[in-house]
Amino acid sequence: MTKLLEMNNHTLRFAAGGVYRTTRLNVASLALATSSPFQFSGGGGYCSIPSRLKLTCYATLSAVVKSQESTFDGKEAALLVDELRINFNTGRPKSYEWRISQLQNIAKMIDEKEKCITEALYQDLSKPELEAFLAELSNTKSSCMLAIKELKNWMAPETVKTSVTTFPSSAQIVSEPLGVVLIISAWNFPFLLSVEPVIGAISAGNAVVLKPSEIAPATSSLLAKLFSEYLDETAIRVVQGGVPETTALLDQKWDKIFFTGGARVGRIVMAAAAKHLTPVVLELGGKCPALVDSDVNLQVAARRIITGKWACNNGQACIGVDYVITTKDFAPKLIDALKTELKTFFGENPLKSKDLSRIVNSFHFKRLESMMKENGVANKIVHGGQTMEDKLKISPTILVDVPEGSSMMQEEIFGPLLPVITVSKIEDGFQVIQSRPKPLAAYLFTDNKELQNQFVQNVSAGGMSINETVLHVTLKDLPFGGVGESGIGAYHGKFSYETFSHKKGVLYRSFDGDSDLRYPPYTPEKKRVLKALLSSDIFGAILAFFGFSKES
Amino acid sequence: MEAMKETVDQSLREMRDTFASGRTRSVKWRKTQLEAIIEMVKDNEDKMSDVLFQDLGKHSTEAFRDELGFVMRSATTALNSLDKWVVPRKSNLPLLFYPATGKVISEPYGTVLVLSSWNFPISLSLDPMIGAISAGNTVLLKASELSPNSSAFLAKTIPSYLDNKAIKVIEGGPDVATILLQHQWDKIFFTGSPRVGKIIMAAAAEHLTPVTLELGGKCPTIVDHHSVSKDMKSIVKRISGGKWGSCSGQACISVDYVLVEQSFASSLIEMLKPVIKSFFGENPKESGCLARIVTKKHFQRLSRLLNDPRVQASIVYGGSMDEEKLYVEPTILLNPPLDSEIMNEEIFGPILPIITLRDIQESIGFIKSKPKPLAIYAFTKDEKFKTRILSETSSGSVTFNDVMIQYMCDALPFGGVGESGMGRYHGKYSFECFSHEKAIMEGSLAMDLEPRYPPWNSFKLTFIRLAFREAYFKLVLLMLGLKK
C-alpha cells in the first residue's frame, strides 16, 4: 500500500492541442487496484462501515488512505494556477457552449452517480439517504438545471438608460468572468457546498479549482474522481488536502476566492486574499436563533424546528437552528411538543435511528460532549443527553436556560444540542438576538403580523424564514449569504452567476453633438451651461447655451 | 494620538447608539440628509471652489464639473430614486411552497467608514457618503490629508448641515487611518492606491468587514484611426480633455497612455499639440485652467518618471517642470521603453505616452499583458473590433469613442476589477454598495406536508423527487395512491 501511495507523488504533465494538462495519478484508482481491508478515517475520528451498507460503488474506497503525505506545495499550486490561467486565456471557458456542456455534465454526473454520492455521504456523516437526496443532491441538481435554463438570459448584456449629461450615448452592463477562481468547501454538506459554487463559477465562465474538505474524505476523493471523469480538466480541477494544501493554494493569486467554513478560517482567507486584492465570498455560520411566540400551531412549529435542527445533518449546518427563544410560560408546552415529535421522527432510541446523521469525527464529538458536560449546563438537560462514542452518535438533546456565559451560548453549537432560552415577554427575544454577532439565519414562529414586521425590521441576519426553518435557502430566487460575522457576499441561482462575474459598464458614444463646454479654457458661460446640464435642466441648458441665464 | 484614539472611540460609540436607535433607517431621515447635502453644496459653492483651488489649483469651472455639480446630481438622483430603491423585491416561489412568500429587503450595514482621496476631495468624499446615507447607515468620513483645505472644510461644514450624531468627519493622515482601521466597521469604502488598498483589506479581514476598494490603474486609450479618421478633431479634444482637463491627469480614470498604429503616430501628435494650445494657451502655467500637482512628493515622483534618460529621449512635446509651483507642463512621449517605470506604474499626472503598434488589433494583446485597468477607452467604429475589445479584455468599464464620461452615467456601475479594485457604486449601485440584501421567506403554519419529515421511507423519497422536478400532476397521482 505504501508503495502504491508513493506513486501518487508523481504528476504527469503534457500538452495537448495547445492546452496544458497535469494528470495526477489519483488515490482512488490505486485503492481500487488493491483489495485492502476497508478502514475509514475522518480527521481523527475512526469508525467502521456498518455492515448493512452494501458498497456498490468502489470509487469511495479511496477513504482507506489514512494519512497521505502532502505532495501539494506552493510550487505545485503555482504551476496549477499558471496552467489554468493559460487555459482560461484561450477564451474557451468564456464561451456559452463550454459553460453549457460543463453544466450538463454536472447534471449527468448527479444522475448517474447518485448512488456513489449518497454512499460517500453516508461514509462521511452517516447521512440518511433521503436527507442526502433532499439537502444535497436534489438541491445541487436543481441549481444546475436552473443555470442551464437561464444561462442565455444571465449572459445577455443589460441595456441601461443614459442621461442628458452623456447625450448622445447608449450604455450596457456586460458580465464577464473573473478568471481563475478558488472554491474551498466544508465537510457538513460536502457535496452541495462544493458543487453549488462550482456551478456558479462555471456559469460565469471561470476556470475553477475546488478544494473539498479533508474532514469528509470519502466525498472529497469522490469529487476528485468524478470531476476528472465528467468535467473539462483543463479548466476545472479538484485539489484534495488539509491545512498545508490550503495554505499553498491561498498563497496564489486568484481572481476570486469562495470560502465556506468557520469565521476563524474566514479571517485567514480574507487576509490572504488582501495580498493580491482578490475579492472574497465568505459563507460562514453563527448562532441562528428561532424565536417562538406562544400563539403558534404547536405541532407544526415543533416539527419545523426539528427539521431545522436534527433533520438537518443533526445540527451540523450553518443555517441550522442553534437555539430557541420563547416565553417562560410557553417553554414547557413547546418542549413537550418537541419531545413528542422527536419520538415520531426518530423513535424511542434515537441513537439507533438511521434517520439521524452522526457527528463528523471524534474531535467534534468530544467538543460537543464537553459543551454538554460543562458546569451549570449538564443539569439543564431536559431531554436526551445520551452519547455513543464508538458510533459518534449524540441523541437529540434539549436544555433549558443554560447560562449565558457557557460555551454553548457563546459558540456556534454545530451539533444536536438545542438550548431553549426563556424570556418574560416575546419582544425581549429581540434583545437576546441583537446582543450577539449577526447570524446567518434567523427564524420566527408567530401568526402575529406586527411581530413579524418588527422582526424583519429590527433583526439583522443573512436571511430569515418566518414560520419556517432552513427552507429559504432552497429558494433560488433569494440570495443566500451572511452579514457581519456570518459572512460576506451571497450566492444561489442568478446570484451565484453574479458572484463569479464582473459587471462591466460599457458606454457607447458617438461623435455628434460634441461641445466645447467640457474643455478648457473655462469661462463663466461654460459653467452656467454645465450647471443646467448636470441638474438635467435641458431648458436651462438651452437658454444658457444661447447666452441667457435664468439667474440674471 | 491618545486624544485622537479617544475621539474615535467616542465618535464610534455615538454613531452606534444612533444606529441602534433606528433613526437612520427611516426614509425620511435619509431624505433630509440628502437634501442637506445639496443645500450645503449650494450654500458653499464659492468656498468649495476656493479650497479646491488652494489644494489643487483647480479652475472653478473644472471644480464645478467634476465635484460640486457632480455631487449635487448624485444627491438629487438618490433623493428622487430612494422611494424606489427601498422597496423590497418580491420573488417567486415554487407552487409547492404555497402559501409562503419570498422577498429581499435591503437593510443598512450599520456604521461605515469612508476613506477618500485627495484628487477629487469633495466628490470622492461626498459621493460615497450619499450612498451610505441612502442605505440608512451612520458614516464616518476621513478625507485625505494631502488636500488639507478641502478636508478642513468638510470637517467644519458637514456637522452644521448633517445629523452630527450619525455623520462624522475626522481629519488626519495615515496615523489616524491606522487608529480607525483598528476598530470594527460594518463596511469600509476606500478610494486610493492598490498598495494602501491591500492594507485596508487586510485590516478589514480582522473583523470580517466587507470592503469596496476604488483603485486605479493604467487606463489605455486605443485609437483605431482607420475607422475614425473623419472624427479626429473631436477625438484629440476628448483625449486631451481626459488627460489634462481633469485635475491634470491626477484621476483614476484619466487617459494613462494611447495605443495607435505606427503610421499614424506623428499625425496624432501633430493634432494634439494645437489642442493643448487652444486649451491652455501659449503658457499653460499661467492659464489658470490646468490643475497643479498635489504635493512635492508627487511632483518628485513625476519628475523621477520623466528623468529616466530613456524617457527623456522620448519627449516629443512639453517636458518642462517648476517645482516651486508644482507645475508639470502637458507632455507627450513617443514610445518610452515598455520596461520603464512610467509604463509600469499609474502615471497620475499630465504626461501622455503614445505607444505605437504595427496593427491596432495588437492593442488587445498589449492590454491583456498588463493588470486589469479601471477603464479602457477605444475610438473605433469597427464593430468587430468593438466586440473583440469587449470580450477579450477585462477592465472596470469600457467606453467607446469618448473618455471619462462613463463616470457621469449613473445608470452604469462604477468600479474596478483585479488590480483596479473591487465593488462598485454610483446611482443605485451606491445604495446597494452600502446595503445588505436580506432574504426573507414568510411561511404559514396552517399547511404542512408530511413527506418533509422523518422517519424517511420510499414514498417520501418519491414525493420529494417529484416535487423537485415540479411534476405536480404526478405528485397528485402519488398522493392519491395511483402512482408507485
Side-chain angles (χ1 to χ4, degrees):
Chain A
M1 194 69 209
T2 332
K3 272 216 162 116
L4 281 168
L5 271 179
E6 274 170 13
M7 276 176 64
N8 188 39
N9 296 352
H10 300 289
T11 52
L12 305 170
R13 195 180 159 92
F14 57 91
V19 177
Y20 290 92
R21 188 192 294 248
T22 305
T23 307
R24 199 166 232 288
L25 295 175
N26 80 26
V27 187
S29 55
L30 295 173
L32 217 144
T34 66
S35 49
S36 56
F38 191 81
Q39 272 193 336
F40 163 71
S41 120
Y46 174 81
C47 87
S48 58
I49 288 297
S51 53
R52 63 178 181 77
L53 179 82
K54 283 196 193 107
L55 279 168
T56 49
C57 169
Y58 290 92
T60 53
L61 269 174
S62 59
V64 289
V65 181
K66 201 165 179 187
S67 59
Q68 185 188 340
E69 252 179 70
S70 170
T71 58
F72 189 85
D73 54 9
K75 228 164 115 192
E76 210 169 319
L79 273 177
L80 174 67
V81 177
D82 279 354
E83 185 186 319
L84 290 185
R85 207 173 285 289
I86 291 168
N87 295 339
F88 172 78
N89 284 337
T90 62
R92 215 156 57 91
K94 228 174 180 176
S95 75
Y96 172 78
E97 291 70 27
W98 184 87
R99 305 185 200 191
I100 278 291
S101 71
Q102 298 309 306
L103 292 170
Q104 278 164 345
N105 287 347
I106 291 181
K108 197 167 134 213
M109 173 182 94
I110 298 172
D111 282 343
E112 292 178 0
K113 301 293 170 172
E114 189 181 316
K115 213 168 172 75
C116 297
I117 299 164
T118 313
E119 277 166 13
L121 291 170
Y122 190 83
Q123 285 182 39
D124 285 334
L125 292 148
S126 304
K127 206 171 260 198
E129 187 191 351
L130 202 132
E131 201 189 305
F133 179 80
L134 190 63
E136 306 216 38
L137 288 152
S138 57
N139 247 326
T140 318
K141 173 83 187 293
S142 63
S143 295
C144 196
M145 296 319 285
L146 181 78
I148 291 171
K149 191 172 138 228
E150 296 292 334
L151 190 60
K152 264 224 163 88
N153 293 333
W154 293 346
M155 284 174 73
E158 180 192 343
T159 303
V160 296
K161 271 197 192 146
T162 57
S163 69
V164 62
T165 331
T166 59
F167 179 84
S169 65
S170 66
Q172 283 185 330
I173 302 171
V174 176
S175 359
E176 62 176 33
L178 294 165
V180 185
V181 303
L182 172 65
I183 295 169
I184 302 175
S185 76
W187 53 263
N188 54 341
F189 293 88
F191 187 77
L192 172 74
L193 297 180
S194 299
V195 182
E196 175 104 41
V198 168
I199 290 169
I202 293 174
S203 311
N206 296 282
V208 197
V209 172
L210 166 69
K211 213 295 290 168
S213 170
E214 76 283 10
I215 298 174
T219 313
S220 170
S221 64
L222 179 65
L223 283 167
K225 183 178 173 289
L226 294 183
F227 271 36
S228 67
E229 194 178 320
Y230 282 88
L231 303 176
D232 176 3
E233 260 196 300
T234 64
I236 304 165
R237 271 320 159 71
V238 177
V239 171
Q240 294 193 73
V243 176
E245 289 80 3
T246 311
T247 312
L249 288 170
L250 284 176
D251 278 344
Q252 312 308 314
K253 181 181 162 62
W254 302 92
D255 296 305
K256 180 116 195 181
I257 301 176
F258 187 105
F259 168 79
T260 309
R264 190 185 59 81
V265 184
R267 289 181 163 85
I268 297 172
V269 169
M270 188 168 168
K275 284 190 200 122
H276 300 288
L277 288 170
T278 303
V280 289
V281 171
L282 305 177
E283 295 289 342
L284 314 176
K287 291 182 82 63
C288 304
L291 184 62
V292 187
D293 197 5
S294 53
D295 65 351
V296 296
N297 177 333
L298 250 182
Q299 194 201 22
V300 178
R303 288 168 146 214
R304 290 184 182 173
I305 292 168
I306 295 171
T307 311
K309 181 80 183 181
W310 295 286
C312 197
N313 204 21
N314 211 1
Q316 303 169 95
C318 50
I319 45 152
V321 175
D322 191 277
Y323 62 101
V324 164
I325 310 167
T326 190
T327 57
K328 235 182 197 67
D329 305 335
F330 190 64
K333 286 185 210 153
L334 179 65
I335 289 165
D336 279 343
L338 285 170
K339 283 183 188 171
T340 315
E341 294 303 321
L342 274 172
K343 210 173 279 172
T344 349
F345 283 10
F346 307 114
E348 287 291 344
N349 187 354
L351 289 180
K352 293 233 169 85
S353 168
K354 52 184 178 24
D355 294 329
L356 268 180
S357 298
R358 65 163 162 81
I359 307 307
V360 64
N361 59 26
S362 64
F363 169 81
H364 282 280
F365 181 87
K366 293 213 172 90
R367 179 182 64 81
L368 288 162
E369 206 179 30
S370 71
M371 206 177 239
M372 212 162 34
K373 283 184 177 157
E374 217 169 90
N375 254 350
V377 174
N379 59 341
K380 305 288 188 189
I381 298 177
V382 294
H383 181 77
Q386 296 87 355
T387 59
M388 207 193 268
E389 189 162 3
D390 59 334
K391 293 257 170 12
L392 296 175
K393 292 250 182 182
I394 296 177
S395 68
T397 302
I398 303 173
L399 308 97
V400 177
D401 283 329
V402 298
E404 176 58 36
S406 63
S407 50
M408 189 175 291
M409 285 316 290
Q410 292 300 313
E411 292 165 21
E412 189 174 358
I413 297 171
F414 231 69
L417 320 175
L418 181 72
V420 176
I421 303 297
T422 64
V423 287
S424 49
K425 55 181 202 306
I426 197 71
E427 287 79 7
D428 296 346
F430 286 24
Q431 182 53 36
V432 178
I433 302 171
Q434 283 161 346
S435 65
R436 292 167 205 284
K438 298 177 180 177
L440 186 53
Y443 305 112
L444 171 71
F445 286 88
T446 184
D447 281 332
N448 178 348
K449 278 279 165 219
E450 182 49 39
L451 191 67
Q452 291 184 3
N453 283 340
Q454 277 180 32
F455 190 76
V456 169
Q457 284 303 316
N458 297 323
V459 173
S460 183
M464 324 185 128
S465 283
I466 311 292
N467 293 328
E468 262 303 346
T469 57
V470 175
L471 225 54
H472 66 288
V473 176
T474 63
L475 305 175
K476 308 296 173 208
D477 249 18
L478 297 181
F480 172 65
V483 59
E485 280 284 308
S486 54
I488 295 174
Y491 73 130
H492 282 191
K494 191 180 181 188
F495 303 98
S496 292
Y497 174 82
E498 288 178 353
T499 276
F500 288 103
S501 299
H502 165 58
K503 295 267 166 198
K504 181 156 80 174
V506 183
L507 189 67
Y508 296 86
R509 283 268 287 164
S510 84
F511 292 105
D512 309 326
D514 199 33
S515 83
D516 280 339
L517 274 177
R518 288 165 60 186
Y519 310 117
Y522 302 118
T523 60
E525 287 72 36
K526 283 187 181 174
K527 190 168 165 185
R528 264 209 301 276
V529 184
L530 272 171
K531 248 185 199 177
L533 270 178
L534 281 164
S535 55
S536 297
D537 176 3
I538 301 171
F539 186 62
I542 295 168
L543 282 182
F545 200 72
F546 289 108
F548 299 101
S549 163
K550 281 210 284 192
E551 282 147 35
S552 60
Chain B
M1 273 303 119
E2 280 310 308
M4 182 48 85
K5 272 187 191 155
E6 188 49 44
T7 315
V8 171
D9 281 348
Q10 163 87 27
S11 303
L12 246 173
R13 223 173 308 134
E14 221 173 311
M15 287 192 297
R16 290 218 180 273
D17 287 347
T18 309
F19 184 73
S21 77
R23 182 162 84 224
T24 63
R25 285 173 184 256
S26 84
V27 172
K28 196 169 154 241
W29 179 88
R30 307 184 199 187
K31 284 188 175 172
T32 318
Q33 302 309 308
L34 292 171
E35 278 161 0
I37 289 180
I38 298 172
E39 202 185 296
M40 174 173 83
V41 179
K42 275 191 182 149
D43 291 354
N44 294 281
E45 222 183 288
D46 293 340
K47 265 191 224 151
M48 283 179 164
S49 298
D50 285 350
V51 293
L52 288 167
F53 185 77
Q54 285 158 17
D55 285 335
L56 291 149
K58 277 191 195 181
H59 188 280
S60 68
T61 306
E62 187 187 324
F64 189 88
R65 182 193 64 200
D66 294 349
E67 308 222 36
L68 285 66
F70 182 77
V71 167
M72 277 202 269
R73 211 173 92 92
S74 170
T76 311
T77 308
L79 194 59
N80 294 338
S81 319
L82 194 58
D83 289 323
K84 229 168 35 211
W85 292 343
V86 297
V87 174
R89 204 173 62 234
K90 286 247 183 294
S91 77
N92 297 319
L93 300 195
L95 185 59
L96 196 68
F97 287 68
Y98 182 83
T101 56
K103 65 181 177 190
V104 179
I105 73 167
S106 305
E107 67 172 30
Y109 277 118
T111 300
V112 304
L113 174 65
V114 173
L115 299 168
S116 71
S117 160
W118 51 262
N119 52 344
F120 296 89
I122 302 285
S123 63
L124 293 181
S125 298
L126 294 180
D127 197 26
M129 194 182 256
I130 289 165
I133 292 171
S134 310
N137 297 281
T138 53
V139 199
L140 189 138
L141 165 72
K142 190 199 84 65
S144 171
E145 76 286 4
L146 300 184
S147 46
N149 296 294
S150 305
S151 171
F153 167 81
L154 291 169
K156 192 170 141 270
T157 319
I158 285 179
S160 55
Y161 281 86
L162 303 179
D163 178 347
N164 60 20
K165 295 265 185 275
I167 297 156
K168 299 198 175 277
V169 187
I170 283 186
E171 285 196 87
D175 42 354
V176 173
T178 309
I179 296 174
L180 289 170
L181 287 174
Q182 279 159 1
H183 287 84
Q184 174 159 9
W185 302 91
D186 298 308
K187 169 104 195 188
I188 300 176
F189 188 104
F190 167 76
T191 309
S193 68
R195 190 186 59 83
V196 182
K198 288 175 186 173
I199 299 172
I200 306 272
M201 189 171 170
E206 198 65 33
H207 299 288
L208 291 171
T209 303
V211 289
T212 294
L213 304 178
E214 295 290 343
L215 314 175
K218 290 181 83 67
C219 301
T221 300
I222 303 168
V223 179
D224 166 27
H225 73 280
H226 302 294
S227 68
V228 292
S229 54
K230 280 203 328 289
D231 301 295
M232 279 317 294
K233 230 181 113 194
S234 32
I235 292 173
V236 286
K237 262 193 192 166
R238 288 176 184 189
I239 293 175
S240 304
K243 185 73 194 186
W244 299 290
S246 204
C247 203
S248 244
Q250 302 170 96
C252 49
I253 50 166
S254 284
V255 172
D256 193 277
Y257 61 94
V258 169
L259 293 169
V260 70
E261 277 184 21
Q262 177 75 54
S263 58
F264 191 66
S266 55
S267 332
L268 178 66
I269 293 164
E270 287 319 309
M271 281 188 260
L272 281 167
K273 287 178 185 172
V275 177
I276 296 174
K277 287 219 170 79
S278 74
F279 279 11
F280 308 111
E282 287 299 330
N283 188 358
K285 203 196 295 191
E286 307 300 332
S287 74
C289 292
L290 187 69
R292 66 165 163 80
I293 306 308
V294 62
T295 57
K296 211 160 216 154
K297 211 176 122 203
H298 278 276
F299 178 88
Q300 282 158 357
R301 181 184 60 82
L302 287 168
S303 70
R304 195 188 67 234
L305 294 181
L306 215 47
N307 283 338
D308 176 337
R310 295 178 305 161
V311 174
Q312 275 288 325
S314 71
I315 297 178
V316 290
Y317 183 84
S320 75
M321 287 184 263
D322 180 343
E323 179 149 4
E324 201 185 316
K325 296 215 155 132
L326 296 177
Y327 162 80
V328 176
E329 189 187 357
T331 300
I332 303 174
L333 312 175
L334 180 61
N335 284 327
L338 295 180
D339 60 353
S340 62
E341 238 181 305
I342 204 162
M343 282 314 293
N344 288 287
E345 69 170 68
E346 192 175 358
I347 298 172
F348 232 66
I351 305 164
L352 180 70
I354 292 172
I355 305 295
T356 63
L357 306 166
R358 230 171 1 94
D359 181 339
I360 199 66
Q361 302 288 329
E362 290 165 15
S363 53
I364 288 176
F366 188 91
I367 292 169
K368 272 175 83 172
S369 70
K370 300 191 169 290
K372 299 177 180 179
L374 188 52
I376 293 175
Y377 305 117
F379 291 95
T380 180
K381 285 183 179 168
D382 177 347
E383 293 302 323
K384 261 205 198 118
F385 190 38
K386 281 187 190 173
T387 312
R388 270 200 76 197
I389 292 171
L390 272 190
S391 61
E392 292 179 37
T393 67
S394 180
S395 58
S397 64
V398 177
T399 299
F400 289 109
N401 298 328
D402 211 328
V403 297
M404 290 183 90
I405 198 151
Q406 77 278 13
Y407 189 80
M408 294 286 178
C409 181
D410 51 26
L412 287 179
F414 179 78
V417 60
E419 286 280 304
S420 54
M422 61 183 81
R424 47 184 185 249
Y425 74 130
H426 279 190
K428 190 179 181 196
Y429 300 96
S430 290
F431 174 81
E432 288 174 358
C433 175
F434 288 100
S435 299
H436 163 57
E437 296 220 303
K438 184 161 72 175
I440 296 159
M441 178 179 155
E442 290 181 38
S444 140
L445 294 168
M447 263 176 68
D448 215 19
L449 287 168
E450 191 61 31
R452 282 179 55 190
Y453 305 112
W456 305 125
N457 55 38
S458 60
F459 171 82
K460 290 181 183 177
L461 181 60
T462 316
F463 181 92
I464 290 166
R465 269 183 207 280
L466 293 175
F468 264 100
R469 264 191 270 149
E470 297 188 18
Y472 294 112
F473 181 65
K474 286 184 183 159
L475 264 179
V476 174
L477 291 182
L478 179 77
M479 297 298 272
L480 295 172
L482 296 173
K483 187 185 182 304
K484 281 261 152 64

